[in-house]
């Protein structure tokens, strides 16, 4: 087995120079003018051919290693939430210590990105819990600081344990996933049953699922859907995996779709004034969360 095939933390290469490369690729695939769902079919482009080699390699690793067993192992490893105890703002500052190849002069920090997202939601007059969700939605990326490889933290998520939708980007890389040779995992519903509900479905492991478990006791259901499924592009943008959803999922995905433009299109080069915004957000955080959460 070559080093690049080894799904352990230390051996995993980090093809992306920064996590935002994945998000830039999402913006390329889902440009803003089509956010309302008016994407004309004739404008189809081959995004895979346009992707940077680093992005391509990132998806190759993600699709190769996100198996059903891998997801179970990561849930066992992380969902006891026994690594740290910290408040939300502290977690934001912790995430901010994530250093990649970004340029500090032009690139915004993780904390600044979170504030940009929240501020746009606030400007649009959405409820307080929605603003708070924008603020915290990417805090699960601290998994990187626990030594997890990029392909197990970010990337479009998809169900494991059933067939891969052919709408998933770089679908061809699933050929190297051992699950693709397990017949029980390769039917339309796989190990699940029709309409079983997403709470019974295991998605590929990453920052969405991890953060959901950290905050699940403190936020309204719609907020929890936004957090848990914001990277589930095959479902919320491409309409796939309806067969696994129940009525509540379908209803709540309206919120996931409402959140998506803020996730994708609020990043600008305009730096938010962290110190000025801090009191508003610390008050908002304390309205919903205890002083310390388990991570
Ligand atoms: Fe995210």
């Amino acid at each position: 087995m070559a080093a690049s095939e080894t799904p352990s933390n230390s051996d995993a290469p980090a093809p992306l120079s920064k996590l935002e490369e994945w998000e830039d690729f999402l913006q390329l695939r889902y440009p803003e003018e089509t956010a309302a769902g008016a994407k004309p079919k004739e404008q189809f482009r081959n995004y895979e051919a346009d992707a940077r080699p680093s992005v391509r390699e990132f998806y190759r690793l993600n699709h190769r290693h996100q198996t059903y067993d891998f997801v179970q192992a990561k849930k066992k490893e992380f969902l006891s939430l026994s690594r740290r105890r910290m408040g939300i703002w502290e977690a934001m500052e912790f995430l901010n210590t994530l250093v990649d190849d970004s340029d500090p002069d032009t690139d915004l920090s993780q904390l600044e990105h979170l504030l940009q997202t929240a501020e746009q939601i606030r400007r649009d007059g959405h409820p307080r819990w929605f603003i708070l969700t924008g603020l915290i939605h990417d805090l699960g990326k601290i998994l990187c600081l626990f030594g997890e490889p990029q392909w197990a933290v970010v990337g479009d998520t998809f169900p494991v344990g059933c067939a891969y939708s052919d709408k998933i980007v770089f679908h061809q890389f699933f050929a190297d996933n051992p699950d693709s040779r397990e017949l029980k995992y390769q039917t339309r519903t796989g190990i699940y049953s029709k309409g079983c509900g997403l709470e019974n479905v295991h998605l590929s492991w990453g920052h969405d699922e991890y953060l959901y478990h950290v905050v699940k006791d403190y936020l309204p259901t719609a907020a929890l859907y936004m957090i848990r499924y914001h990277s589930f592009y095959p479902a919320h943008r491409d309409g796939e995996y309806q067969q696994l959803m129940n009525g509540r999922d379908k209803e709540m995905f309206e919120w996931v779709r409402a959140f998506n433009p803020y996730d994708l299109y609020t990043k600008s080069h305009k730096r938010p004034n962290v110190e000025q915004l801090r009191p508003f957000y610390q008050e908002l955080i304390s309205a919903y969360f205890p002083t310390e959460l388990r991570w």
Side-chain angles (χ1 to χ4, degrees):
M1 197 185 236
S4 66
E5 298 295 298
T6 310
S8 71
N9 297 350
S10 54
D11 294 342
L16 306 177
S17 63
K18 50 184 175 172
L19 293 180
E20 282 75 28
E21 270 192 295
W22 164 61
E23 288 162 346
D24 293 345
F25 183 60
L26 286 171
Q27 278 191 38
L28 180 78
R29 280 161 47 210
Y30 302 105
E32 190 164 13
E33 59 272 21
T34 67
K39 188 178 181 178
K41 285 260 188 298
E42 60 275 18
Q43 279 187 15
F44 174 81
R45 283 175 56 200
N46 186 351
Y47 301 113
E48 294 179 2
D50 293 346
R52 290 182 201 173
S54 55
V55 169
R56 186 182 174 84
E57 175 63 4
F58 163 78
Y59 278 103
R60 190 188 70 78
L61 291 166
N62 177 279
H63 292 4
R64 161 67 182 83
H65 295 302
Q66 289 272 0
T67 62
Y68 181 84
D69 289 347
F70 175 79
V71 171
Q72 305 316 312
K74 286 294 158 187
K75 287 186 169 180
K76 208 170 163 209
E77 186 181 348
F78 283 100
L79 296 187
S80 59
L81 304 179
S82 50
R83 274 176 179 68
R84 280 188 167 225
R85 280 171 189 270
M86 52 187 172
I88 293 287
W89 192 272
E90 197 186 339
M92 289 168 63
E93 289 178 334
F94 181 48
L95 179 64
N96 225 23
T97 65
L98 185 64
V99 179
D100 44 29
D101 293 347
S102 55
D103 177 349
D105 292 332
T106 57
D107 290 353
L108 271 66
S109 69
Q110 299 285 336
L111 197 152
E112 288 168 327
H113 278 316
L114 290 172
L115 284 169
Q116 276 185 334
T117 305
E119 280 292 279
Q120 189 57 51
I121 295 168
R122 186 181 172 192
R123 276 193 290 272
D124 288 352
H126 289 297
R128 276 161 63 82
W129 60 263
F130 197 149
I131 303 169
L132 182 58
T133 302
L135 183 75
I136 68 167
H137 78 283
D138 269 346
L139 286 181
K141 289 180 180 173
I142 64 167
L143 285 170
C144 282
L145 294 164
F146 296 146
E148 292 301 293
Q150 292 167 340
W151 56 263
V153 178
V154 296
D156 315 38
T157 57
F158 54 87
V160 293
C162 64
Y164 309 112
S165 156
D166 56 16
K167 296 231 176 95
I168 299 173
V169 70
F170 289 112
H171 182 270
Q172 68 274 23
F173 290 142
F174 285 123
D176 292 330
N177 187 311
D179 287 0
S180 69
R181 293 181 288 281
E182 291 280 341
L183 289 181
K184 66 177 186 284
Y185 294 152
Q186 289 310 321
T187 62
R188 205 169 132 73
T189 47
I191 60 167
Y192 311 109
S193 56
K194 194 167 183 291
C196 65
L198 291 178
E199 68 184 335
N200 296 305
V201 173
H202 298 282
L203 296 195
S204 54
W205 173 252
H207 70 287
D208 302 43
E209 181 72 11
Y210 172 61
L211 183 66
Y212 163 74
H213 286 275
V214 173
V215 301
K216 66 181 162 52
D217 295 335
Y218 308 109
L219 293 174
T221 306
L224 297 175
Y225 266 79
M226 292 170 177
I227 287 166
R228 197 176 195 181
Y229 301 112
H230 74 272
S231 305
F232 192 11
Y233 282 82
H236 70 69
R237 288 300 288 250
D238 298 312
E240 296 289 275
Y241 296 108
Q242 298 277 321
Q243 72 274 19
L244 301 176
M245 293 189 185
N246 58 24
R248 188 179 82 140
D249 295 331
K250 288 175 187 172
E251 204 178 300
M252 286 292 150
F253 260 58
E254 287 305 319
W255 288 105
V256 180
R257 279 187 280 272
F259 176 68
N260 186 243
Y262 297 105
D263 189 19
L264 271 191
Y265 312 123
T266 53
K267 294 190 177 77
S268 76
H269 294 294
K270 195 168 174 289
R271 242 171 240 285
N273 185 332
V274 178
E275 281 318 305
Q276 204 174 64
L277 294 171
R278 189 180 164 127
F280 171 84
Y281 284 102
Q282 284 192 315
E283 188 279 322
L284 180 58
I285 289 165
S286 66
Y288 286 84
F289 290 110
T291 326
E292 272 192 352
L293 293 98
R294 295 176 57 220
W295 299 81

